[in-house]
Amino acid sequence: MLKLGLFDTVMLQYNKAANVMEIDLEIRKILCKPMNEIVVNFPVLMDNGRLQVFTGYRVQHNNVLGPFKGGLRYHPNVDIDEVRALAVWMTWKCAIAGLPYGGAKGGIQIDPAKYSQHELERITRRFTYALGDNIGPDYDIPAPDMNTNPQIMAWVLDTYLSTVPPQHRLRSIHVVTGKPVEAGGSVGRNKATGQGIVYTIESWARVNKFNLDGATYILQGFGNVGSWTAKILKTLGAKMVAVEDASGALVNENGINPDELAKYVSNSKFIKGFGDGKPADHKAFLSTKADIFIPAAMENQITAETAPWLNVKLVAEGANGPTDPDGDRVLQKRGLEVIPDVLCNSGGVIVSYFEWLQNKRSESWDLEEVDTKLKKRIEAAFDSVQETGKKYKTDSRTAAYIVALSRLAFVYKKRGIFP
Ligand code: NAD
């Protein structure tokens, strides 16, 4: 059987929604292609004195709602197909959240664990320099994604600012979001994706009259998104009964303490060896009985093969693209509910928007203000996806796409096509 690329997955989801809502055929043609695709090959001096050439990508899918916005990913699987798919998802995500942004994504095909901090800094700076004017504070604004973090965003910022005239520097710090707070970042940005996931789970619980106090969940990925989701769910009384990362899985029906695990991972990088749980294989992890499964690692984790193993009521998609179209069909057939990625993990880009606004206005908001505004916006997005699902009698992913496509189609209709 021919394996689908990630962009094929996006297009299957897109065509399904476009058919259900009967989108204008002309607009359909525009949205199925990215506007710009930038590929850069750049040399970097390694610690051993030798040069290595890296390939970096930035795909800008659409900017009809505002500047391009999307993360930078450092991972061996990064290629044009993956970045293209992630860029399209960003367009939908920003539209669903009602943000004045379009969608983009970028990355470098590397395993960052193989490089020293000095090498990562030089790789990041050369990549930023190679992107040049393809990014900019009111044009295309990167942010963190897998294996990138506030430190990497600080290097992107510093390199970009070094390329603009001195008098423009201080009004250009919104060229990147997810910066360290001390370097113009927003409080609450680091936890924002996890916080947003929890707000959407709470919204789902409200609609379904489900009590999260004492609820159980399994979590894949214990990086930025996974660890924050787990730490926040603990404050609501939910119990993590299984967790998996790139080093393997741990299961404990009495619950694994996310705060302790986060302390452990901050030293050891991986969950392997943490005492509070029994090692388990991938199938045993996914089959663990719980109320909720939160994939917060890689794409294509829920497939025709793995979806039947799940023993949960709800899948809350923290990762981008964790469910492939075959997996989706199995989830629907089995009656499992899904909070789709383009809604569930949008807390990150929402607080990135808040950071961007604070930078533009020379303001700094406190955590209460950030969280209150995030909650309000993501709850509104959740409600509009719910209502749209009811109106079109369709699944939550298709409903989320319809919300996004309707907003984009409306603007295209009003503005028309140049010339
Ligand atoms: P991260 O690099 O901080 O963490 C990734 C985690 O996934 C790590 O725990 C890693 O060990 C684990 N992992 C990697 N390969 C795995 C495998 N094969 N099986 C199980 N676990 C594996 O990345 P992150 O920023 O937490 O991003 C995770 C996901 O969330 C990605 O899909 C990303 O696109 C998405 N996302 C991130 C943000 C953000 O703000 N960082 C926002 C929206 C969506």
Side-chain angles (χ1 to χ4, degrees):
M1 202 169 49
L2 194 67
K3 200 171 170 297
L4 286 183
L6 208 56
F7 188 68
D8 296 325
T9 295
V10 179
M11 283 300 115
L12 280 171
Q13 295 167 346
Y14 169 69
N15 284 320
K16 181 175 176 194
N19 288 338
V20 172
M21 70 184 285
E22 297 175 10
I23 196 171
D24 183 291
L25 285 177
E26 303 298 318
I27 289 163
R28 188 168 175 151
K29 279 188 226 164
I30 301 172
L31 291 174
C32 70
K33 296 254 192 254
M35 277 181 174
N36 308 310
E37 300 190 342
I38 301 126
V39 182
V40 290
N41 295 301
F42 53 95
V44 180
L45 193 63
M46 296 289 102
D47 290 348
N48 64 8
R50 310 215 42 140
L51 285 182
Q52 198 174 324
V53 177
F54 295 87
T55 302
Y57 304 88
R58 187 73 180 167
V59 173
Q60 297 164 334
H61 171 246
N62 189 280
N63 64 354
V64 78
L65 295 181
F68 299 112
K69 184 87 188 83
L72 295 177
R73 178 178 284 200
Y74 289 0
H75 195 273
N77 291 353
V78 167
D79 62 14
I80 192 71
D81 177 72
E82 181 180 87
V83 178
R84 208 177 262 154
L86 291 163
V88 182
W89 278 322
M90 282 309 295
T91 302
W92 309 154
K93 203 181 291 184
C94 294
I96 294 164
L99 302 177
Y101 285 143
K105 202 79 176 194
I108 310 176
Q109 193 181 72
I110 49 165
D111 179 356
K114 295 198 173 130
Y115 297 90
S116 70
Q117 275 294 96
H118 289 303
E119 287 171 333
L120 277 179
E121 176 173 353
R122 287 196 295 274
I123 293 166
T124 302
R125 288 185 182 278
R126 271 309 293 244
F127 178 43
T128 308
Y129 185 76
L131 287 174
D133 283 349
N134 290 299
I135 59 169
D138 294 300
Y139 178 64
D140 183 355
I141 306 121
D145 191 72
M146 271 191 94
N147 292 329
T148 58
N149 53 35
Q151 173 61 75
I152 289 177
M153 298 308 115
W155 292 328
V156 172
L157 171 72
D158 188 66
T159 309
Y160 179 83
L161 292 187
S162 307
T163 68
V164 299
Q167 60 272 34
H168 293 311
R169 286 186 192 148
L170 288 178
R171 48 185 153 93
S172 301
I173 62 164
H174 53 300
V175 64
V176 61
T177 58
K179 302 180 286 289
V181 174
E182 302 76 4
S186 175
V187 292
R189 172 59 185 93
N190 212 20
K191 69 163 180 140
T193 307
Q195 181 69 71
I197 291 168
V198 175
Y199 285 147
T200 62
I201 293 174
E202 285 185 287
S203 292
W204 175 86
R206 170 176 41 81
V207 170
N208 291 281
K209 302 189 173 36
F210 179 84
N211 189 358
L212 285 170
D213 191 3
T216 53
Y217 68 95
I218 66 172
L219 172 68
Q220 184 188 49
F222 203 75
N224 172 286
V225 177
S227 63
W228 275 111
T229 306
K231 286 190 281 188
I232 299 166
L233 277 173
K234 179 171 171 255
T235 66
L236 302 179
K239 201 163 70 174
M240 178 164 78
V241 290
V243 56
E244 182 185 56
D245 77 355
S247 70
L250 297 171
V251 176
N252 183 349
E253 64 182 28
N254 297 319
I256 297 167
N257 185 328
D259 296 315
E260 294 301 322
L261 183 58
K263 274 188 221 148
Y264 179 83
V265 169
S266 68
N267 288 319
S268 66
K269 283 197 171 162
F270 294 107
I271 64 170
K272 194 173 179 174
F274 182 65
D276 192 11
K278 259 195 356 232
D281 66 21
H282 184 54
K283 186 170 182 184
F285 162 73
L286 281 180
S287 311
T288 307
K289 185 172 167 39
D291 297 307
I292 307 167
F293 173 35
I294 306 164
M298 302 288 295
E299 44 268 0
N300 292 334
Q301 296 301 300
I302 304 173
T303 62
E305 185 192 354
T306 60
W309 302 342
L310 293 176
N311 202 351
V312 296
K313 299 182 183 69
L314 172 70
V315 176
E317 294 184 336
N320 285 306
T323 310
D324 78 6
D326 290 336
D328 234 345
R329 272 188 285 276
V330 177
L331 294 184
Q332 276 173 42
K333 216 160 134 194
R334 293 189 55 207
L336 269 68
E337 291 196 43
V338 174
I339 308 175
D341 49 5
V342 285
L343 167 66
C344 192
N345 70 33
S346 62
V349 71
I350 294 173
V351 177
S352 272
Y353 168 58
F354 297 160
E355 177 176 333
W356 188 74
L357 279 184
Q358 290 171 73
N359 291 164
K360 276 166 89 84
R361 300 173 180 170
S362 301
E363 289 179 1
S364 61
W365 304 351
D366 63 20
L367 187 59
E368 196 188 341
E369 184 169 2
V370 170
D371 280 350
T372 307
K373 287 183 162 143
L374 167 62
K375 186 168 194 275
K376 192 171 166 202
R377 197 171 271 272
I378 208 162
E379 281 180 358
F382 184 94
D383 292 344
S384 61
V385 170
Q386 281 277 120
E387 280 159 28
T388 306
K390 278 191 205 134
K391 180 174 163 199
Y392 287 91
K393 298 189 176 43
T394 192
D395 60 279
S396 58
R397 189 183 316 283
T398 307
Y401 269 56
I402 293 174
V403 171
L405 295 178
S406 308
R407 290 181 179 162
L408 289 152
F410 183 85
V411 177
Y412 270 113
K413 278 250 177 247
K414 286 284 165 203
R415 283 174 50 168
I417 300 297
F418 172 82

